[in-house]
Amino acid sequence: MKRTDHGLTWLPFLPQPPVHTLKTPRDMARAELDQARELLSGRQVDIDVNPDLGDGFTLTQDGAIVHLCGGESGVLYGAYRLLMALKARQELPLGSHAPYYALRMLNCWDNAEGTIERGYSGRSLFFEDGHLDYDPVRMRQLGRMLASVGINVLCINNVNVHNPAHKLIEEEWLPQLSDLASIFRPFGVRMMLSIDYAHPLRHGLDTADPLDARVAAWWQERADIVYRYVPDLAGFLVKADSEHRPGPFTYGRTHADGANMLARALAPHGGRLIWRCFVYNCLQDWRDTVTDRPMAAYQHYAHLDGQFEDNVILQIKNGPFDFQVREPVSPLFYAMPKTNLALEVQLAQEYTGQQIDIYAMGPMWKEIFDDLPPQRVMAMAAVSNLGRDANYTGHPFAAVNLFAYGMTAWDPSTDPAALIRLWCRLTYDLEQAQEGALHALLMGSRRVYEKYTAPLGLCWMVNPHGHYGPSPSGYEYALWGTYHKANRDAVGVDRTEKNGTGMTRQYPEPLRSLYENLDTCPDLLKLFFHRLRYDYVMADGRTLIQRIYDDHFEGYDETEALAQTLRALDLPSPDREVALERMDLQLKNAREWRDVTNTFFYRLSGAKDAKGRRIYD
Ligand code: GCW
């Protein structure tokens, strides 16, 4: 079986996206349905646009006639849902549909020189050599991929705005940006831009103080200019006072001062100001036992609740550390009831296997939503896993994460298992047993990865900088506030109120007590919140050290089982070759993690494996 290249990812069954001069999502919906006549097999689709419905749509059926009524972008979402259901041989999604989050954003960390920070799928789709540089055909494919799962905001540049990416909001680059925006517009996708908080300093101002009237006026004028070129720009995204980026702290101002000043510049144009809360001391001394990095976001922002303009949205990473394999939900989500919040997840597999190891994220997000009622937040953002690779995501299976993200941001209550199944069917259309095997492989992939990497919520232990592969003490004496403090008796940081850093106090009940109390703290998060002796006996009767050994041996064995399943799958070319090649690397990685981690803890503790398996001395 050979995979066709024109529809790509989960839409290989559609022809190339229509090129012509379509201007609106409603035109695109008509064109897509016209092109897919074969799939409709005799059905006729009537489209009715009611602008009040926005992104929402209703599908009804009357014999061979399907009525699709929706807002301007809603009809396009409806068209894709209809086509995907037909292709997957599922029931038509009849009834009314509306997205849970109004903003469903994709954040690309692409640099103007063409690299992607934490990108594992090749070079940038948007930039090369210090310029905007894109292939319009791929842009249309991308627009369609995003629209098919309801993603409606695309930020194309890295939150770390390196020279010359600031030109995205300057006259030199704006005409080209305007062209790019018009490629995405018929797909209902609005552009967003990351901005450099200190940008005014490049234009003759000697300050970026948010309370200085000249600074506010400069941003106002800048926003006016940008909106002349891209009138429907979704807004600006800002990383400030974080990992050496400039911000209001330089001027003794708060992040409410900074965000509000920018938000006022965008407000007349209907733009939003998205302000990231990934703020912590990245120059910590490991001897400092008072500062506790995962407490930082709450400490910086919770007291500012209610002080932000209406068009400000604070964007918070799902966990309090940084996209680790397992973290509790960030306590900041519970602390700001009077502020607009966005949940940020990371599709790029920075800490989760870098699109070499298989890692389907849906089940992980489900846990987030179980702990965090969706109504706590009003928007969702994901760090992109896309790049210039032919299949967009490096590993062909990594596309499942973009697919599931869009669908989850549309409806967070959707069952991740159903999304993964739908993705499998749309992408490969395997016979039933094979599809079941692929589905099971993806569903279990996160747990397998978790078992062979850092144990029980301990986090980090990765190779510094690159973040792939094990290095148990790689971050132990570093500046980043990421310590496990393993010695010969115990491991972990005590974050309890009673004896530790007090982080559990940042959570409301019942989570506060759940995490504070060692007996009720879930096993998989025990080493996030507690410092435990190796001979600590877990609920299932195993000691901590035995649990660490068992997980690591099992994690590797289960990776071998994944490899076997994969080899037996009748995947089309080149996905099969790419997946098998990467599986060899995953096996090496899992073996390395198993042996390094087990040896690390064995050398410290001297505790033998109860099952007598080989641990290197
Ligand atoms: O985890 C860190 C990454 C950085 C990233 C940062 C962030 C864009 O290692 O590469 O910078 O998170 O989220 O801002």
Side-chain angles (χ1 to χ4, degrees), residues 214-508:
R214 292 168 304 155
V215 173
W218 187 88
W219 279 110
Q220 182 72 70
E221 193 196 342
R222 201 37 40 200
D224 293 348
I225 294 168
V226 173
Y227 275 87
R228 235 174 273 148
Y229 288 88
V230 187
D232 55 354
L233 188 83
F236 290 161
L237 173 62
V238 188
K239 172 176 177 177
D241 291 313
S242 162
E243 298 182 332
H244 313 295
R245 306 318 298 167
F249 287 166
T250 309
Y251 309 97
R253 309 300 185 195
T254 71
H255 278 200
D257 295 331
N260 289 339
M261 180 272 292
L262 290 166
R264 284 181 207 116
L266 297 170
H269 307 283
R272 312 269 198 159
L273 193 275
I274 316 282
W275 189 272
R276 293 175 85 235
C277 297
F278 183 58
V279 178
Y280 68 99
N281 177 8
C282 66
L283 294 172
Q284 191 177 329
D285 185 328
W286 60 273
R287 283 157 287 228
D288 166 4
T289 53
V290 177
T291 310
D292 186 17
R293 169 162 163 188
M295 296 173 72
Y298 181 103
Q299 288 164 338
H300 281 295
Y301 292 98
H303 65 281
L304 298 175
D305 188 29
Q307 296 184 27
F308 292 91
E309 295 282 340
D310 286 349
N311 61 331
V312 173
I313 302 176
L314 297 190
Q315 185 164 301
I316 306 171
K317 290 190 181 186
N318 64 275
F321 255 136
D322 187 8
F323 301 135
Q324 301 297 293
V325 180
R326 186 172 297 269
E327 297 184 53
V329 168
S330 171
L332 190 55
F333 285 110
Y334 306 95
M336 305 197 71
K338 291 182 282 200
T339 304
N340 298 323
L341 304 178
L343 167 65
E344 180 179 322
V345 297
Q346 189 186 38
L347 309 181
Q349 291 172 234
E350 176 178 359
Y351 296 98
T352 54
Q354 306 204 346
Q355 283 134 255
I356 295 169
D357 301 28
I358 301 171
Y359 192 102
M361 300 180 177
M364 177 169 95
W365 301 329
K366 166 91 169 59
E367 291 162 6
I368 298 172
F369 289 116
D370 283 349
D371 278 346
L372 174 79
Q375 60 269 25
R376 276 273 166 192
V377 289
M378 52 89 67
M380 201 165 164
V383 179
S384 163
N385 58 359
L386 299 168
R388 221 171 258 224
D389 280 1
N391 65 9
Y392 283 98
T393 51
H395 198 303
F397 297 173
V400 75
N401 290 325
L402 179 62
F403 176 84
Y405 162 64
M407 302 289 259
T408 302
W410 179 281
D411 178 4
S413 72
T414 314
D415 176 9
L419 291 178
I420 290 178
R421 184 166 298 279
L422 180 56
W423 179 84
C424 293
R425 185 157 306 171
L426 294 174
T427 307
Y428 294 125
D429 209 3
L430 298 164
E431 55 95 355
Q432 209 183 340
Q434 293 240 335
E435 183 183 288
L438 176 58
H439 184 256
L441 176 154
L442 291 170
M443 283 299 290
S445 59
R446 184 271 189 123
R447 192 63 198 109
V448 172
Y449 185 88
E450 178 174 30
K451 279 188 176 177
Y452 61 72
T453 54
L456 307 179
L458 195 56
C459 304
W460 308 101
M461 291 199 156
V462 286
N463 277 306
H465 315 301
H467 299 167
Y468 188 76
S471 178
S473 287
Y475 275 115
E476 201 48 24
Y477 304 99
L479 302 168
W480 304 90
T482 47
Y483 315 117
H484 55 66
K485 305 192 178 181
N487 67 15
R488 65 183 169 179
D489 300 316
V491 59
V493 174
D494 189 329
R495 300 201 156 97
T496 63
E497 187 169 6
K498 194 151 155 245
N499 301 311
T501 64
M503 182 177 176
T504 54
R505 220 177 18 236
Q506 294 184 339
Y507 286 92

